[in-house]
Amino acid sequence: VQLQASGGGLVQAGGSLRLSCAASGRTISRDTVGWFRQAPGKEREFVATLFRSGSNTYYKEDVKGRFTITRDNAKNTAYLQMNSLRPEDTAVYYCATSGSAILSSIRDAKTYHYWGHGTLVTVSS
């Protein structure tokens, strides 16, 4: 199973980026798909998740209303649309999936079995 994250880059504050997470070796249409991020010197943190095969989404509080997680089953790819970016959003962003997540654990990185390598997002002020 491989998850290939892409779409990161350098953007000015207020700008937008769309991250992609292309899966191979596993169909993710029924998985819980999550995005996490890790800023320099900080621990990896939960950003957003799309729970199982439905449309229920959950977000870190400070990205609500700015970030949107979606999935294209035909392309076996998940996305994270990030708008109104702030310098504090600067981090390496990782996508991850789990076939057995439960709702109470979706913010826990240990819930996710498969991880991509990450893509760097840098937001300048």
Side-chain angles (χ1 to χ4, degrees):
V1 178
Q2 285 194 326
L3 299 179
Q4 182 66 47
S6 62
L10 174 64
V11 64
Q12 288 190 329
S16 297
L17 284 173
R18 188 177 79 155
L19 306 184
S20 298
C21 176
S24 58
R26 179 181 178 85
T27 299
I28 64 169
S29 60
R30 291 190 292 272
D31 279 1
T32 293
V33 180
W35 286 94
F36 288 74
R37 67 187 181 188
Q38 187 165 17
K42 294 189 176 181
E43 292 188 353
R44 190 172 299 190
E45 64 178 6
F46 166 80
V47 176
T49 198
L50 182 60
F51 186 61
R52 295 187 181 172
S53 59
S55 58
N56 290 337
T57 56
Y58 302 87
Y59 297 93
K60 185 178 184 288
E61 192 63 33
D62 64 355
V63 308
K64 281 183 183 177
R66 300 190 298 124
F67 291 11
T68 304
I69 185 171
T70 58
R71 170 171 44 203
D72 185 332
N73 291 335
K75 295 182 178 179
N76 209 31
T77 299
Y79 302 96
L80 185 67
Q81 177 68 43
M82 306 186 296
N83 299 328
S84 302
L85 282 161
R86 305 167 180 169
E88 53 264 39
D89 295 319
T90 294
V92 177
Y93 282 71
Y94 299 88
C95 62
T97 70
S98 170
S100 59
I102 58 174
L103 193 55
S104 60
S105 66
I106 57 171
R107 291 174 173 79
D108 186 346
K110 296 186 186 72
T111 290
Y112 298 83
H113 305 126
Y114 306 105
W115 289 81
H117 288 297
T119 184
L120 176 62
V121 172
T122 303
V123 185
S124 63
S125 57

